[in-house]
Amino acid sequence: MVKELDSGNSFRLSIKSLEDDSDPRVVHAGVQALCSSITQLSQLEQTKFAFLPNPQYSVLAEAVAHPRAVEPSLYAGLQCRAPLSKLRVVLRHVGNWLERTAQKTLFVLEIPPSHTITLQTSQAKVLAQLLTLGEALLPPHEFYRTQAEGYVSTFGELTPAANANLSLVQQRVGLSIEEANELNVTATGPFKTLAEKYQHFRRELLVCKQASDLDENFWNVMRAKAISMGLPEADAQFLKDERLNALHQEAEQTRQQAEAEAAAEAQRQHERQQRLLGYRHQFEEIVIDSLPQGVARKHIGPAGDQPEAALFHQSVMADLAGSDFNRGRLTQAREYYNLDPQEAKALEKTVLDELYLLSDLL
Amino acid sequence: MAQNIACLIKFVDPQLKHDELDTEVHYLTEDLRDLDGMSQIRFDPILEVRDAAETRVGIRFFAHSDLLVSILRRLRDRLYYKPLETWFLFQISDLNLQIRTDQAEDLVDLMATAQSGLLFSPVRDYLAEAETYSRTQGELSPTELDNLNLLRQRLGLSAEQAELLNVRAVGPYKTQAEKRRYFDETTAAEFSRLRQIDADQPFAAKDPWPVLQELAENLALPIPEAEAIYQQHRQRYDEAKLKTEQQTAKTAVDASLVAETKAADAHQDQVQQAREHLEQYLSLCRQAMANSLYPSEFDQGRLDQARRLWDISIDEALTIEIAVRNELYGSLESAAGVDYSRLRDLLLQQAWQEADMETEAVILKALDRDMQPVTAATVQRLPAIDLATIDALWNRYSNKRFGFRAQQQVHRSQQQIQQDDRQQWLAFQQALGWREPPSLFYQGYRPYHDLDFSLEAPLGHLPTWRWCCPSLSDRYCLSLDVMAAVIHHLSLCMPLDPVPTPAVDPTAPTVLTGGQTRAV
């Protein structure tokens, strides 16, 4: 939960065996057992330990005496730094450990701002004084606020579990409920809940209308804003990704919409072309069907007999008009394709022109 | 229960020169000696060699524990006025407390601790005992409480003080059961919060276990027990979430089904479009044939073009045209494969005589008689469908005046009037206008050309049954057995509705008419 341990929000505990007569291996095993059990505590999995080597134990001498010895060194103690909120849990663990080992041990507890408590004992009951005094020396407001801020920086708000922990802290350090509430308000910042923070941050991100707007400079500003409003980094990043996704989707949608519109326009044009082509084809068929062999020869005869194009048109159209059947077909085709009369006429003229030209070849 | 505290105060500010150090030590000693109860205290100097000369850098002394607060207050005040970096060491029983600071505030917490009595016996010793007990089990067992009670009495603490110290050691939840309950409630609230967030817009998911584990540790609740409680809630939460996700997945599947349905709909649309084209063609046919049995040249042109445009096959178009023609002008259905279209044309033109002759032609064709008159034996082979078609055409174009059914009705009415069989057939022919009443020198037969081929003719006059006559040259004469066979066959093929029977009054006496039932 507390991401960075500095001397202001953490304690340092040094433990060193003072048993000169004990087997160094037993002491070493005890130190390792303690180290292992501390790392099993919540949020202490990544705790770094410094081990204090046993000054009376020479690696070289041991290596000579036991050539197959593999331990590089044996420890007489350890040193670690942990969040202040874990003081009680760690010291209780150490108490359990001391009860098992019952070795005379030196404990040095350093707590902010500048206190160092030293205690030598082999009894867990005496060690309990270290916890009592250590907790008593903690600045209550500072300690509570640090803890509350830690929760807010992780969850963006005081969750039920965080509140439960804070309630225990409040009672332990002797703060009143009102004082605790005030500190909670300070820790949560201007927006009380994560939902409010999300809402506000999302609104701020709406300024970006395209992905390129959300550049590094803008994001640096937004990160600072997230910190000031108590929105965790992970949540800010989540909202950034969400906005970027939305912008990409919007861009994709816009592109698809443009494509769809272009496709619709192309389709309209295609349909119009199809109508024109269809009518042209039907008109050709009607004209060709309407020209009996003899008539065709009359109109599309040898080049020398060709009438002028206009006359040809007039003659074909007169033939068409002369037959009720052909008129019916023409009427039906015109109705079906629903063409502009001028368009229809232009098409008919084109067809007749082509037929006129073809008449040379026939 | 005062105890002695060994105190050491040493100036460690590197800026101080040795003469300044000496002066500060002097004033510090004087300040402390000035405190109540401190005048008799012996202050030993701490000497160090500075600049080749032995210099006082601090003092050490022993004081009663009840003087610690006033000593600390004085030291704090001194730091307020002159923030010199100083090293303080207080040896209290087994504890060595060191503070190295130039800030007055850094002594405030120690002052408060000293004031609370936590630094000294009896409070310190009682609390250490209670803390030791609660550390192991997370609660104070009855035996431990008894022990603590004895200790309290030995140390001279009040019951209220002891209770406060117990709470400090164990926390607000005294028993493991209370702690479990509290942990369970908090875990439930935590997952309830997650559910609320899930219901809203998306958020960055975070594992609540570390903080709950921290709570369990703070409550001194065994971690496996806490984890079991957590897992119960987690499972419920995950199950609910899974259900929601399954619902979402189902919605997605439904959406894909919708897409499939759309594809099916598209196919359906094509089928529908083809159907619409047929409907449109049908409508165009009706329009074209509304006023004439056969469309005009112009309408034929339209129909032909429409058929091409709507992609209707010639067969389909023909079927539709026939259906429309039948619908508008009467059906030409035939079981014998006879074409009744000419008969329909003639009836449409009200060319009654030609229609009558065509009727003879089609009936003979249906019976495959090759212009040979029909006999009583062969008439039975006339298909009912063909009889119905001929009757319907005559009926339609004569406004129900002519046709076989009209003739059947005339026969039924004569049946009811005439008792004698022969008289009945005579009356039937007379009613149809096919024969006149016979006289001494005249049998009443009319020549065929004298029949009435108009709508003014008697009911059922047409079509004649000339197809039963061997010769029509001088008279239109039908044999009784053929007539009986025709009427019998018609009654089988086209039975008339039964004659309504008058309601019988059960009280009225039965009257026997003596008439015989005659079979025709």
Side-chain angles (χ1 to χ4, degrees):
Chain A
M1 189 184 69
V2 179
K3 292 178 184 74
E4 289 173 17
L5 291 180
D6 58 44
S7 55
N9 60 16
S10 64
F11 68 90
R12 186 159 67 183
L13 178 67
S14 305
I15 298 166
K16 189 180 178 191
S17 171
L18 298 176
E19 296 277 350
D20 293 340
D21 302 332
S22 298
D23 181 352
R25 292 177 189 282
V26 173
V27 174
H28 176 82
V31 169
Q32 284 195 320
L34 178 61
C35 169
S36 165
S37 73
I38 287 175
T39 50
Q40 284 172 14
L41 291 169
S42 67
Q43 299 152 43
L44 294 180
E45 302 84 358
Q46 306 299 322
T47 306
K48 285 180 182 160
F49 292 88
F51 294 98
L52 310 172
N54 192 330
Q56 295 181 346
Y57 181 77
S58 158
V59 176
L60 185 63
E62 181 68 10
V64 171
H66 307 282
R68 291 174 187 244
V70 288
E71 294 103 332
S73 182
L74 293 178
Y75 305 135
L78 58 78
Q79 194 175 64
C80 65
R81 187 176 279 283
L84 274 179
S85 59
K86 311 306 285 185
L87 178 64
R88 168 170 280 252
V89 180
V90 170
L91 287 181
R92 281 187 156 190
H93 241 71
V94 175
N96 290 338
W97 171 79
L98 187 61
E99 206 160 57
R100 285 196 300 275
T101 58
Q103 290 180 347
K104 192 172 183 188
T105 310
L106 171 67
F107 299 94
V108 180
L109 176 66
E110 294 170 58
I111 52 176
S114 52
H115 298 40
T116 304
I117 309 169
T118 314
L119 176 69
Q120 292 181 17
T121 185
S122 59
Q123 293 176 39
K125 196 194 295 182
V126 178
L127 181 66
Q129 294 177 24
L130 195 64
L131 171 61
T132 310
L133 182 58
E135 280 192 338
L137 287 175
L138 292 175
H141 291 82
E142 191 77 18
F143 177 56
Y144 185 95
R145 193 176 62 242
T146 305
Q147 185 119 348
E149 283 172 354
Y151 290 126
V152 171
S153 73
T154 305
F155 294 102
E157 63 184 349
L158 294 176
T159 66
N163 272 322
N165 276 319
L166 284 172
S167 172
L168 292 176
V169 172
Q170 173 249 322
Q171 291 175 58
R172 196 176 298 151
V173 300
L175 283 177
S176 69
I177 292 176
E178 291 73 25
E179 283 174 313
N181 285 341
E182 275 177 31
L183 290 168
N184 287 347
V185 169
T186 312
T188 47
F191 302 99
K192 200 178 169 190
T193 65
L194 183 65
E196 286 173 25
K197 290 174 184 177
Y198 263 56
Q199 196 181 9
H200 184 78
F201 205 75
R202 277 193 173 112
R203 211 166 33 230
E204 295 274 316
L205 285 173
L206 286 179
V207 175
C208 301
K209 299 295 179 198
Q210 50 193 8
S212 59
D213 291 345
L214 224 165
D215 59 6
E216 202 177 330
N217 288 338
F218 179 80
W219 183 238
N220 285 337
V221 174
M222 289 306 291
R223 277 174 72 176
K225 201 168 273 184
I227 291 166
S228 68
M229 67 193 278
L231 181 69
E233 171 80 26
D235 293 273
Q237 189 61 42
F238 174 83
L239 291 170
K240 179 192 177 188
D241 293 344
E242 182 189 78
R243 183 66 189 143
L244 279 174
N245 280 341
L247 288 171
H248 288 315
Q249 275 178 7
E250 277 172 24
E252 181 61 19
Q253 265 177 3
T254 310
R255 191 185 63 75
Q256 283 177 354
Q257 198 174 342
E259 275 182 8
E261 279 170 13
E265 180 56 30
Q267 179 67 19
R268 274 196 294 277
Q269 287 301 326
H270 176 73
E271 280 170 6
R272 185 172 171 276
Q273 286 301 324
Q274 286 296 106
R275 280 211 319 276
L276 293 172
L277 206 64
Y279 180 71
R280 181 197 163 110
H281 176 68
Q282 294 297 327
F283 182 73
E284 276 172 5
E285 274 191 3
I286 294 168
V287 171
I288 289 166
D289 291 350
S290 72
L291 296 176
Q293 207 61 22
V295 179
R297 276 197 209 101
K298 186 178 80 180
H299 291 306
I300 314 171
D305 297 329
Q306 270 183 12
E308 289 299 321
L311 281 175
F312 176 78
H313 292 187
Q314 218 173 0
S315 175
V316 171
M317 292 309 281
D319 276 350
L320 282 180
S323 156
D324 281 346
F325 183 80
N326 289 336
R327 270 198 310 115
R329 284 187 69 182
L330 202 56
T331 306
Q332 186 66 26
R334 281 175 181 168
E335 276 179 17
Y336 179 79
Y337 289 108
N338 192 25
L339 292 178
D340 180 59
Q342 285 181 342
E343 273 181 325
K345 280 220 175 301
L347 269 174
E348 287 164 7
K349 184 176 180 303
T350 310
V351 171
L352 293 173
D353 282 347
E354 282 172 7
L355 276 175
Y356 176 70
L357 290 172
L358 277 171
S359 67
D360 269 345
L361 304 172
L362 295 171
Chain B
M1 204 186 286
Q3 60 186 96
N4 271 343
I5 303 167
C7 305
L8 184 148
I9 303 163
K10 181 181 167 186
F11 294 105
V12 289
D13 195 321
Q15 304 297 324
L16 284 175
K17 296 190 172 55
H18 76 277
D19 53 332
E20 291 171 328
L21 270 169
D22 194 67
T23 311
E24 286 301 330
V25 170
H26 173 72
Y27 284 131
L28 171 66
T29 311
E30 290 305 310
D31 275 351
L32 292 174
R33 187 167 284 146
D34 196 37
L35 291 170
D36 284 345
M38 294 284 283
S39 57
Q40 299 303 314
I41 300 285
R42 181 182 151 193
F43 295 94
D44 292 328
I46 302 169
L47 298 171
E48 277 183 11
V49 177
R50 296 277 177 98
D51 301 329
E54 199 168 55
T55 310
R56 288 194 299 173
V57 293
I59 54 171
R60 60 163 67 93
F61 58 94
F62 287 92
H64 285 294
S65 57
D66 48 8
L67 288 172
L68 184 60
V69 174
S70 52
I71 291 170
L72 287 170
R73 188 178 293 123
R74 180 58 54 92
L75 293 172
R76 180 199 65 184
D77 293 345
R78 280 181 57 81
L79 283 177
Y80 267 132
Y81 292 113
K82 203 162 191 180
L84 292 171
E85 191 173 357
T86 313
W87 183 48
F88 304 96
L89 170 65
F90 303 98
Q91 192 174 0
I92 310 162
S93 186
D94 299 321
L95 283 168
N96 275 343
L97 172 62
Q98 301 171 51
I99 304 172
R100 183 174 171 147
T101 184
D102 60 354
Q103 300 292 312
E105 291 81 15
D106 290 351
L107 296 178
V108 171
D109 295 325
L110 180 57
M111 272 174 60
T113 310
Q115 263 176 331
S116 69
L118 283 172
L119 279 174
F120 315 111
S121 192
V123 172
R124 181 194 64 196
D125 294 344
Y126 184 91
L127 190 58
E129 190 77 17
E131 169 62 30
T132 306
Y133 285 144
S134 73
R135 175 172 52 77
T136 49
Q137 298 300 324
E139 63 184 359
L140 297 173
S141 68
T143 315
E144 288 166 342
L145 280 170
D146 279 349
N147 286 346
L148 283 172
N149 196 33
L150 288 172
L151 180 65
R152 174 187 74 77
Q153 288 171 16
R154 187 155 54 81
L155 294 172
L157 285 169
S158 69
E160 292 74 26
Q161 278 179 303
E163 183 57 35
L164 283 174
L165 293 171
N166 287 349
V167 169
R168 191 179 176 95
V170 182
Y173 306 98
K174 289 180 187 169
T175 65
Q176 284 286 23
E178 282 180 37
K179 289 176 183 187
R180 248 193 315 275
R181 193 161 48 247
Y182 182 61
F183 184 82
D184 186 55
E185 286 168 5
T186 307
T187 310
E190 193 67 33
F191 279 104
S192 167
R193 167 185 169 268
L194 288 180
R195 278 187 206 97
Q196 273 181 355
I197 294 179
D198 285 342
D200 204 359
Q201 285 181 291
F203 78 110
K206 295 183 196 93
D207 185 7
W209 171 241
V211 186
L212 286 166
Q213 188 188 351
E214 187 185 353
L215 178 63
E217 288 165 359
N218 285 336
L219 288 168
L221 191 66
I223 296 301
E225 213 171 300
E227 199 164 3
I229 295 172
Y230 167 78
Q231 287 302 344
Q232 278 177 5
H233 286 279
R234 174 103 241 171
Q235 198 178 344
R236 281 201 286 271
Y237 171 77
D238 288 344
E239 280 169 5
K241 203 168 182 181
L242 187 68
K243 208 179 252 182
T244 313
E245 282 169 3
Q246 282 172 343
Q247 193 65 38
T248 314
K250 190 176 173 296
T251 313
V253 169
D254 288 348
S256 74
L257 281 177
V258 167
E260 282 175 23
T261 312
K262 268 186 186 168
D265 285 351
H267 174 69
Q268 194 63 33
D269 284 350
Q270 283 181 342
V271 173
Q272 179 65 22
Q273 198 181 27
R275 198 177 295 139
E276 279 173 11
H277 284 163
L278 290 176
E279 287 287 330
Q280 283 173 311
Y281 191 79
L282 186 74
S283 170
L284 198 63
C285 279
R286 284 199 184 111
Q287 206 180 320
M289 289 190 238
N291 298 318
S292 72
L293 193 55
Y294 298 101
S296 65
E297 276 286 299
F298 176 80
D299 286 334
Q300 280 181 37
R302 288 195 70 175
L303 285 169
D304 183 63
Q305 188 62 36
R307 184 185 64 71
R308 292 164 193 254
L309 293 170
W310 291 328
D311 200 21
I312 296 169
S313 69
I314 293 174
D315 288 345
E316 277 178 316
L318 273 176
T319 309
I320 292 171
E321 283 171 30
I322 289 167
V324 170
R325 197 169 283 122
N326 290 348
E327 172 196 312
L328 294 176
Y329 297 101
S331 168
L332 301 183
E333 217 175 342
S334 167
V338 178
D339 180 8
Y340 293 105
S341 56
R342 185 162 183 273
L343 175 63
R344 185 170 62 187
D345 291 351
L346 294 168
L347 288 170
L348 178 67
Q349 293 162 30
Q350 306 225 321
W352 305 114
Q353 189 168 357
E354 287 87 342
D356 190 49
M357 288 191 284
E358 176 66 10
T359 303
E360 179 192 32
V362 292
I363 286 177
L364 292 178
K365 196 172 179 189
L367 290 171
D368 201 16
R369 292 290 295 167
D370 195 21
M371 296 314 283
Q372 292 301 305
V374 177
T375 63
T378 52
V379 77
Q380 314 297 331
R381 290 197 285 113
L382 262 175
I385 292 173
D386 292 64
L387 282 173
T389 301
I390 296 165
D391 174 65
L393 289 172
W394 276 99
N395 185 280
R396 173 191 281 261
Y397 291 102
S398 66
N399 200 18
K400 299 185 181 174
R401 192 158 191 81
F402 303 144
F404 297 133
R405 200 168 288 273
Q407 292 165 351
Q408 277 179 287
Q409 280 163 351
V410 171
H411 177 257
R412 177 192 274 179
S413 62
Q414 291 308 317
Q415 258 187 322
Q416 287 166 349
I417 297 166
Q418 300 296 333
Q419 305 298 317
D420 176 67
D421 213 24
R422 193 176 179 77
Q423 286 302 315
Q424 196 185 96
W425 288 117
L426 183 63
F428 170 64
Q429 291 179 82
Q430 284 177 2
L432 290 176
W434 288 352
R435 191 171 173 178
E436 289 171 345
S439 60
L440 190 59
F441 302 105
Y442 177 52
Q443 283 186 304
Y445 295 114
R446 298 176 67 178
Y448 176 77
H449 58 82
D450 271 2
L451 294 177
D452 190 352
F453 295 100
S454 75
L455 280 174
E456 277 75 43
L459 192 72
H461 187 66
L462 296 174
T464 64
W465 296 359
R466 50 180 286 157
W467 32 280
C468 304
C469 293
S471 166
L472 295 169
S473 56
D474 53 349
R475 56 183 190 171
Y476 170 53
C477 174
L478 298 164
S479 67
L480 286 181
D481 60 334
V482 168
M483 272 197 292
V486 171
I487 285 294
H488 174 68
H489 188 54
L490 286 176
S491 70
L492 290 175
C493 297
M494 300 189 297
L496 292 176
D497 293 336
V499 181
T501 317
V504 178
D505 182 359
T507 56
T510 307
V511 177
L512 295 173
T513 57
Q516 289 180 332
T517 308
R518 290 164 288 113
V520 178

